[in-house]
Amino acid sequence: MYILGMESSCDETSAAVVEMSDGVRAIRSNIVASQIETHRLYGGVVPEIASRAHVEAISRITYEALETAGITLSDVGAIAVTAFPGLIGALLVGVNFAKSLAFSHRIPLVAVNHIHGHVAAAYLTHPTLEPPFLALVVSGGHTSFYRVTDYTDFCEIGGTRDDAAGEAFDKIGRVIGLPYPGGAALDKLAYEGDPKAITLPSPALGGDTPDLSFSGIKTATLNYLNGMAQKGCEISRADVAASYTHRIVQAIVKKTELALKKSGMRTLVLAGGVAANSHLRTALEALCKRLGVTLCMPDRALCGDNGAMIAAAGYFRYQRGEFADTSLNASANDDGL
Ligand code: KG4
Ligand code: ZN
Protein backbone atom coordinates (compact mmCIF):
# COMPACT_ATOMS: atom_id res chain seq x y z
CA MET A 1 0.00 0.00 0.00
CA TYR A 2 1.03 3.62 -0.46
CA ILE A 3 1.38 5.82 2.63
CA LEU A 4 1.60 9.59 2.32
CA GLY A 5 3.85 10.81 5.12
CA MET A 6 3.85 14.43 6.31
CA GLU A 7 6.35 16.13 8.59
CA SER A 8 6.35 19.72 9.89
CA SER A 9 7.57 19.50 13.49
CA CYS A 10 10.48 21.93 13.21
CA ASP A 11 12.21 23.61 10.27
CA GLU A 12 11.62 21.16 7.40
CA THR A 13 8.32 20.79 5.58
CA SER A 14 8.28 17.34 4.05
CA ALA A 15 5.90 15.02 2.25
CA ALA A 16 6.73 11.57 0.96
CA VAL A 17 5.14 8.53 -0.60
CA VAL A 18 6.37 5.21 0.73
CA GLU A 19 5.20 1.82 -0.48
CA MET A 20 4.91 -0.66 2.36
CA SER A 21 3.66 -4.22 2.51
CA ASP A 22 5.04 -7.59 3.60
CA GLY A 23 8.52 -7.68 2.10
CA VAL A 24 8.32 -4.22 0.48
CA ARG A 25 9.66 -1.02 2.03
CA ALA A 26 10.27 1.42 -0.80
CA ILE A 27 10.50 5.20 -0.93
CA ARG A 28 8.63 6.45 -4.03
CA SER A 29 9.21 10.13 -3.27
CA ASN A 30 10.58 12.18 -0.37
CA ILE A 31 10.33 15.95 -0.85
CA VAL A 32 11.93 18.15 1.81
CA ALA A 33 11.57 21.95 1.81
CA SER A 34 14.18 23.16 4.27
CA GLN A 35 13.83 26.51 6.03
CA ILE A 36 17.45 26.48 7.22
CA GLU A 37 18.52 29.45 5.08
CA THR A 38 15.72 31.57 6.59
CA HIS A 39 16.48 30.65 10.21
CA ARG A 40 20.25 30.99 9.68
CA LEU A 41 19.81 34.77 9.75
CA TYR A 42 18.71 34.46 13.40
CA GLY A 43 21.17 31.72 14.46
CA GLY A 44 18.34 29.33 15.32
CA VAL A 45 14.76 28.34 14.54
CA VAL A 46 12.22 31.14 15.02
CA PRO A 47 8.94 29.30 15.74
CA GLU A 48 6.58 31.89 14.24
CA ILE A 49 8.58 32.08 11.02
CA ALA A 50 8.71 28.28 10.88
CA SER A 51 4.90 28.00 11.10
CA ARG A 52 4.37 30.54 8.32
CA ALA A 53 6.92 28.83 6.07
CA HIS A 54 5.17 25.47 6.63
CA VAL A 55 1.84 27.03 5.60
CA GLU A 56 3.41 28.37 2.41
CA ALA A 57 5.09 25.09 1.46
CA ILE A 58 2.83 22.27 2.59
CA SER A 59 0.32 22.07 -0.23
CA ARG A 60 2.94 22.38 -3.00
CA ILE A 61 5.22 19.80 -1.32
CA THR A 62 2.38 17.32 -0.92
CA TYR A 63 1.31 17.42 -4.56
CA GLU A 64 4.97 17.27 -5.64
CA ALA A 65 5.41 14.12 -3.57
CA LEU A 66 2.37 12.49 -5.19
CA GLU A 67 3.46 13.53 -8.69
CA THR A 68 7.04 12.31 -8.21
CA ALA A 69 5.68 8.96 -6.98
CA GLY A 70 3.43 8.81 -10.04
CA ILE A 71 0.23 8.41 -8.02
CA THR A 72 -2.84 10.47 -7.05
CA LEU A 73 -4.65 10.81 -3.75
CA SER A 74 -7.02 8.03 -4.76
CA ASP A 75 -4.07 5.59 -4.65
CA VAL A 76 -3.11 6.57 -1.09
CA GLY A 77 -4.02 3.95 1.53
CA ALA A 78 -3.26 6.10 4.56
CA ILE A 79 -1.96 9.54 5.51
CA ALA A 80 0.59 9.61 8.33
CA VAL A 81 1.41 12.90 10.02
CA THR A 82 3.77 13.94 12.81
CA ALA A 83 1.54 15.01 15.70
CA PHE A 84 4.17 15.34 18.47
CA PRO A 85 6.69 16.30 19.81
CA GLY A 86 7.92 19.56 18.23
CA LEU A 87 7.12 23.24 17.86
CA ILE A 88 3.39 23.49 18.46
CA GLY A 89 2.63 26.03 15.73
CA ALA A 90 4.70 24.10 13.19
CA LEU A 91 3.07 20.78 14.11
CA LEU A 92 -0.42 22.26 13.84
CA VAL A 93 0.17 23.16 10.20
CA GLY A 94 0.94 19.55 9.24
CA VAL A 95 -1.76 18.06 11.46
CA ASN A 96 -4.53 20.32 10.16
CA PHE A 97 -3.47 19.93 6.55
CA ALA A 98 -3.34 16.13 6.89
CA LYS A 99 -6.72 16.07 8.66
CA SER A 100 -8.37 18.10 5.90
CA LEU A 101 -6.86 15.95 3.17
CA ALA A 102 -7.76 12.69 4.90
CA PHE A 103 -11.34 13.56 5.72
CA SER A 104 -12.16 15.28 2.43
CA HIS A 105 -10.84 12.26 0.47
CA ARG A 106 -11.94 9.58 2.98
CA ILE A 107 -8.40 8.32 3.54
CA PRO A 108 -7.47 6.77 6.91
CA LEU A 109 -5.35 9.10 9.06
CA VAL A 110 -2.57 8.00 11.40
CA ALA A 111 -0.82 10.20 13.99
CA VAL A 112 2.90 9.58 14.34
CA ASN A 113 5.35 10.33 17.14
CA HIS A 114 8.32 12.12 15.56
CA ILE A 115 10.78 9.96 17.53
CA HIS A 116 9.17 6.75 16.25
CA GLY A 117 9.54 8.30 12.80
CA HIS A 118 13.29 8.76 13.20
CA VAL A 119 13.64 5.13 14.23
CA ALA A 120 11.44 3.98 11.32
CA ALA A 121 13.97 5.53 8.89
CA ALA A 122 16.12 2.51 9.73
CA TYR A 123 13.41 0.15 8.40
CA LEU A 124 13.69 1.86 5.03
CA THR A 125 17.48 1.49 4.84
CA HIS A 126 17.48 -2.05 6.30
CA PRO A 127 14.55 -3.94 4.75
CA THR A 128 14.90 -6.99 7.01
CA LEU A 129 15.22 -5.05 10.29
CA GLU A 130 12.54 -5.89 12.83
CA PRO A 131 12.09 -5.41 16.59
CA PRO A 132 13.24 -6.12 19.23
CA PHE A 133 16.24 -3.78 19.34
CA LEU A 134 17.81 -0.93 21.28
CA ALA A 135 17.26 2.46 19.63
CA LEU A 136 19.48 5.46 20.26
CA VAL A 137 17.76 8.62 19.03
CA VAL A 138 20.11 11.60 18.82
CA SER A 139 18.63 14.76 17.37
CA GLY A 140 18.29 18.48 17.90
CA GLY A 141 15.68 17.93 20.61
CA HIS A 142 16.36 14.40 21.90
CA THR A 143 19.11 12.07 23.06
CA SER A 144 17.49 8.92 24.41
CA PHE A 145 17.81 5.16 24.56
CA TYR A 146 14.67 3.08 23.95
CA ARG A 147 13.93 -0.61 24.23
CA VAL A 148 11.84 -1.19 21.13
CA THR A 149 9.94 -4.41 21.65
CA ASP A 150 7.46 -4.02 18.80
CA TYR A 151 7.03 -1.57 15.91
CA THR A 152 5.01 0.78 18.07
CA ASP A 153 6.20 -0.18 21.57
CA PHE A 154 8.98 2.05 22.91
CA CYS A 155 10.29 2.15 26.47
CA GLU A 156 12.81 4.85 27.36
CA ILE A 157 15.63 3.43 29.48
CA GLY A 158 17.92 6.46 29.66
CA GLY A 159 19.23 9.51 27.92
CA THR A 160 20.10 13.12 28.48
CA ARG A 161 19.03 14.87 31.65
CA ASP A 162 19.25 18.30 30.03
CA ASP A 163 20.20 19.38 26.49
CA ALA A 164 20.16 17.15 23.44
CA ALA A 165 23.38 16.27 21.59
CA GLY A 166 22.28 18.19 18.47
CA GLU A 167 21.55 21.28 20.52
CA ALA A 168 25.02 20.98 22.12
CA PHE A 169 26.69 20.74 18.71
CA ASP A 170 24.68 23.68 17.36
CA LYS A 171 25.48 25.88 20.36
CA ILE A 172 29.26 25.51 20.17
CA GLY A 173 29.12 25.62 16.36
CA ARG A 174 27.42 29.02 16.62
CA VAL A 175 29.91 30.33 19.20
CA ILE A 176 32.92 29.48 17.03
CA GLY A 177 31.26 31.08 14.03
CA LEU A 178 29.93 28.14 12.04
CA PRO A 179 26.67 28.58 10.13
CA TYR A 180 23.46 27.32 11.76
CA PRO A 181 22.87 24.46 12.34
CA GLY A 182 26.45 23.83 13.42
CA GLY A 183 26.27 20.02 13.69
CA ALA A 184 27.25 19.11 10.14
CA ALA A 185 29.94 21.82 9.88
CA LEU A 186 31.45 20.81 13.23
CA ASP A 187 31.52 17.18 12.05
CA LYS A 188 33.68 18.20 9.05
CA LEU A 189 35.91 20.64 10.94
CA ALA A 190 36.70 18.03 13.61
CA TYR A 191 38.83 16.10 11.09
CA GLU A 192 41.25 19.02 10.92
CA GLY A 193 41.87 19.30 14.68
CA ASP A 194 43.42 17.38 17.56
CA PRO A 195 40.79 15.55 19.67
CA LYS A 196 43.12 15.63 22.68
CA ALA A 197 44.00 19.35 22.43
CA ILE A 198 41.46 20.58 25.01
CA THR A 199 40.46 18.76 28.18
CA LEU A 200 36.69 18.81 28.59
CA PRO A 201 34.33 17.08 31.07
CA SER A 202 32.58 13.94 29.95
CA PRO A 203 28.83 14.11 29.23
CA ALA A 204 28.52 10.53 30.56
CA LEU A 205 26.90 10.72 34.01
CA GLY A 206 28.42 8.59 36.74
CA GLY A 207 26.63 5.49 37.96
CA ASP A 208 25.14 2.43 36.41
CA THR A 209 22.52 4.15 34.26
CA PRO A 210 22.68 5.05 30.56
CA ASP A 211 22.27 8.76 31.30
CA LEU A 212 24.05 11.77 29.86
CA SER A 213 24.28 15.50 30.48
CA PHE A 214 25.55 17.96 27.91
CA SER A 215 25.24 21.19 29.90
CA GLY A 216 28.62 20.72 31.65
CA ILE A 217 30.65 20.22 28.50
CA LYS A 218 28.88 23.15 26.85
CA THR A 219 29.70 25.46 29.77
CA ALA A 220 33.30 24.21 30.01
CA THR A 221 33.81 24.87 26.29
CA LEU A 222 32.30 28.35 26.59
CA ASN A 223 34.56 29.07 29.59
CA TYR A 224 37.59 27.88 27.63
CA LEU A 225 36.68 30.14 24.69
CA ASN A 226 36.03 33.16 26.96
CA GLY A 227 39.26 32.54 28.90
CA MET A 228 41.30 32.40 25.70
CA ALA A 229 39.64 35.59 24.42
CA GLN A 230 40.36 37.41 27.70
CA LYS A 231 44.02 36.40 27.50
CA GLY A 232 44.12 37.58 23.91
CA CYS A 233 45.09 34.07 22.76
CA GLU A 234 44.02 32.74 19.40
CA ILE A 235 42.06 29.53 19.43
CA SER A 236 42.11 26.72 16.91
CA ARG A 237 38.48 26.23 15.88
CA ALA A 238 39.44 22.81 14.52
CA ASP A 239 40.89 21.74 17.89
CA VAL A 240 37.68 22.90 19.61
CA ALA A 241 35.57 20.96 17.10
CA ALA A 242 37.74 17.84 17.41
CA SER A 243 38.00 17.85 21.23
CA TYR A 244 34.30 18.62 21.73
CA THR A 245 33.17 16.00 19.22
CA HIS A 246 35.56 13.41 20.62
CA ARG A 247 34.29 13.86 24.19
CA ILE A 248 30.63 13.74 23.15
CA VAL A 249 31.06 10.70 20.93
CA GLN A 250 33.11 8.90 23.57
CA ALA A 251 30.37 9.46 26.18
CA ILE A 252 27.58 8.33 23.88
CA VAL A 253 29.51 5.18 22.99
CA LYS A 254 30.17 4.42 26.66
CA LYS A 255 26.49 4.78 27.56
CA THR A 256 25.40 2.83 24.49
CA GLU A 257 27.51 -0.10 25.67
CA LEU A 258 25.81 0.11 29.07
CA ALA A 259 22.34 0.41 27.52
CA LEU A 260 23.00 -2.66 25.36
CA LYS A 261 24.13 -4.59 28.42
CA LYS A 262 21.14 -3.50 30.52
CA SER A 263 18.57 -4.12 27.80
CA GLY A 264 20.09 -7.39 26.61
CA MET A 265 19.47 -6.32 23.02
CA ARG A 266 21.68 -7.67 20.25
CA THR A 267 20.68 -5.09 17.62
CA LEU A 268 21.27 -1.34 17.83
CA VAL A 269 19.42 1.25 15.73
CA LEU A 270 20.98 4.71 15.57
CA ALA A 271 18.55 7.43 14.45
CA GLY A 272 17.87 11.19 14.41
CA GLY A 273 19.66 14.16 12.82
CA VAL A 274 22.88 13.61 14.79
CA ALA A 275 22.99 10.01 13.50
CA ALA A 276 24.46 11.63 10.36
CA ASN A 277 27.59 12.47 12.40
CA SER A 278 30.43 10.56 10.79
CA HIS A 279 32.52 10.31 14.00
CA LEU A 280 29.58 8.84 15.91
CA ARG A 281 28.78 6.38 13.11
CA THR A 282 32.39 5.15 12.97
CA ALA A 283 32.69 4.84 16.75
CA LEU A 284 29.41 2.91 17.06
CA GLU A 285 30.46 0.63 14.21
CA ALA A 286 33.62 -0.19 16.16
CA LEU A 287 31.65 -0.74 19.39
CA CYS A 288 29.11 -3.04 17.74
CA LYS A 289 31.85 -5.00 15.99
CA ARG A 290 33.63 -5.51 19.31
CA LEU A 291 30.40 -6.63 21.04
CA GLY A 292 29.10 -8.72 18.12
CA VAL A 293 25.97 -6.53 17.99
CA THR A 294 24.17 -5.79 14.70
CA LEU A 295 24.15 -2.05 13.94
CA CYS A 296 21.46 -0.52 11.71
CA MET A 297 21.75 3.14 10.76
CA PRO A 298 19.53 4.97 8.28
CA ASP A 299 21.25 6.36 5.19
CA ARG A 300 22.64 9.77 6.13
CA ALA A 301 20.04 11.42 3.88
CA LEU A 302 17.26 9.85 5.99
CA CYS A 303 18.67 10.90 9.38
CA GLY A 304 17.27 14.44 9.31
CA ASP A 305 13.55 15.20 9.44
CA ASN A 306 11.68 13.83 6.41
CA GLY A 307 8.26 12.56 5.40
CA ALA A 308 9.41 9.07 4.39
CA MET A 309 10.31 8.13 7.96
CA ILE A 310 6.88 9.34 9.13
CA ALA A 311 5.17 7.28 6.43
CA ALA A 312 7.13 4.18 7.47
CA ALA A 313 6.23 4.64 11.15
CA GLY A 314 2.63 5.36 10.14
CA TYR A 315 2.39 2.07 8.30
CA PHE A 316 2.95 0.09 11.49
CA ARG A 317 0.30 2.10 13.36
CA TYR A 318 -2.06 1.54 10.44
CA GLN A 319 -1.42 -2.19 10.68
CA ARG A 320 -2.41 -2.05 14.33
CA GLY A 321 -5.61 -0.19 13.44
CA GLU A 322 -4.55 2.87 15.42
CA PHE A 323 -6.32 5.58 13.47
CA ALA A 324 -6.80 9.25 14.24
CA ASP A 325 -9.98 11.25 13.67
CA THR A 326 -10.97 14.89 13.37
CA SER A 327 -10.29 15.37 17.08
CA LEU A 328 -6.55 14.84 16.48
CA ASN A 329 -4.51 17.65 18.01
CA ALA A 330 -0.81 18.39 17.97
CA SER A 331 1.30 18.40 21.13
CA ALA A 332 4.68 19.96 21.82
CA ASN A 333 5.56 17.15 24.23
CA ASP A 334 6.42 13.48 24.08
CA ASP A 335 2.82 12.42 24.90
CA GLY A 336 2.04 8.87 24.02
CA LEU A 337 5.57 7.48 23.86
O1 KG4 B 1 16.42 15.10 13.79
P1 KG4 B 1 16.70 16.49 13.35
O2 KG4 B 1 16.72 16.77 11.87
O3 KG4 B 1 15.68 17.48 14.00
C1 KG4 B 1 15.17 17.25 15.26
O4 KG4 B 1 14.24 16.42 15.39
O5 KG4 B 1 15.72 17.85 16.21
O6 KG4 B 1 18.09 16.89 14.00
C2 KG4 B 1 18.68 18.13 13.75
C3 KG4 B 1 20.00 18.15 14.49
C4 KG4 B 1 20.63 19.54 14.48
O7 KG4 B 1 21.04 19.82 15.80
C5 KG4 B 1 21.83 19.34 13.57
O8 KG4 B 1 22.93 20.18 13.85
C6 KG4 B 1 22.18 17.90 13.82
O9 KG4 B 1 20.94 17.27 13.87
N1 KG4 B 1 23.05 17.32 12.79
C7 KG4 B 1 24.30 16.89 13.04
C8 KG4 B 1 24.82 16.46 11.80
N2 KG4 B 1 23.88 16.65 10.84
C9 KG4 B 1 22.78 17.18 11.48
N3 KG4 B 1 24.99 16.85 14.20
C10 KG4 B 1 26.24 16.36 14.13
N4 KG4 B 1 26.82 15.93 12.99
C11 KG4 B 1 26.16 15.95 11.81
N5 KG4 B 1 26.73 15.51 10.69
ZN1 ZN C 1 13.81 15.16 14.11
Side-chain angles (χ1 to χ4, degrees):
M1 68 180 284
Y2 292 110
I3 320 273
L4 174 64
M6 314 204 58
E7 157 64 34
S8 72
S9 66
C10 189
D11 57 354
E12 331 272 1
T13 321
S14 182
V17 174
V18 167
E19 190 175 353
M20 301 284 283
S21 59
D22 285 345
V24 180
R25 296 173 182 177
I27 300 174
R28 299 296 177 212
S29 64
N30 194 13
I31 314 292
V32 181
S34 175
Q35 307 169 7
I36 280 177
E37 292 302 328
T38 312
H39 297 296
R40 189 164 281 165
L41 293 171
Y42 308 94
V45 178
V46 183
E48 176 61 23
I49 294 176
S51 310
R52 284 168 190 265
H54 286 307
V55 170
E56 279 163 22
I58 200 154
S59 177
R60 171 175 54 84
I61 294 296
T62 303
Y63 287 98
E64 197 180 327
L66 293 168
E67 204 178 302
T68 306
I71 64 166
T72 65
L73 273 174
S74 58
D75 301 310
V76 171
I79 297 177
V81 64
T82 305
F84 55 92
L87 300 171
I88 189 65
L91 286 164
L92 280 167
V93 177
V95 164
N96 284 313
F97 187 83
K99 275 205 295 198
S100 320
L101 212 57
F103 291 100
S104 58
H105 290 81
R106 297 179 195 284
I107 301 169
L109 178 67
V110 187
V112 171
N113 179 323
H114 184 78
I115 304 302
H116 294 196
H118 273 302
V119 171
Y123 295 128
L124 295 169
T125 304
H126 301 272
T128 56
L129 171 66
E130 53 184 45
F133 52 76
L134 175 76
L136 165 57
V137 180
V138 260
S139 70
H142 288 79
T143 300
S144 300
F145 293 102
Y146 301 96
R147 285 180 78 241
V148 181
T149 44
D150 194 4
Y151 290 98
T152 57
D153 292 340
F154 285 56
C155 175
E156 189 169 354
I157 61 164
T160 183
R161 297 271 181 85
D162 41 51
D163 311 321
E167 202 181 330
F169 279 127
D170 294 345
K171 171 78 182 177
I172 295 306
R174 187 165 65 226
V175 173
I176 63 169
L178 299 175
Y180 173 84
L186 212 69
D187 183 354
K188 250 174 126 180
L189 187 61
Y191 284 102
E192 294 167 29
D194 175 4
K196 300 265 162 68
I198 305 157
T199 306
L200 296 169
S202 172
L205 287 178
D208 194 33
T209 57
D211 290 323
L212 296 142
S213 161
F214 295 96
S215 61
I217 191 171
K218 252 174 43 176
T219 307
T221 307
L222 291 173
N223 287 344
Y224 166 80
L225 292 168
N226 290 335
M228 291 294 275
Q230 274 166 9
K231 283 187 252 165
C233 298
E234 269 208 24
I235 58 137
S236 157
R237 296 196 316 163
D239 281 351
V240 173
S243 302
Y244 191 68
T245 301
H246 172 69
R247 213 62 175 127
I248 289 179
V249 167
Q250 198 185 39
I252 293 176
V253 168
K254 182 177 171 186
K255 290 301 182 178
T256 304
E257 181 167 1
L258 182 62
L260 281 165
K261 202 172 114 196
K262 284 198 164 289
S263 66
M265 295 293 183
R266 303 300 301 156
T267 300
L268 172 69
V269 169
L270 173 68
V274 181
N277 186 276
S278 61
H279 307 270
L280 182 60
R281 290 172 86 94
T282 305
L284 286 176
E285 265 163 8
L287 173 76
C288 289
K289 197 169 165 206
R290 175 162 67 79
L291 300 178
V293 164
T294 304
L295 174 62
C296 294
M297 302 184 283
D299 287 339
R300 289 180 79 177
L302 288 178
C303 289
D305 296 345
N306 67 86
M309 70 185 200
I310 301 304
Y315 171 69
F316 298 114
R317 291 196 83 83
Y318 174 91
Q319 276 198 317
R320 277 195 162 189
E322 290 174 6
F323 301 115
D325 58 28
T326 42
S327 68
L328 176 65
N329 202 355
S331 167
N333 307 316
D334 274 359
D335 308 353
L337 249 181

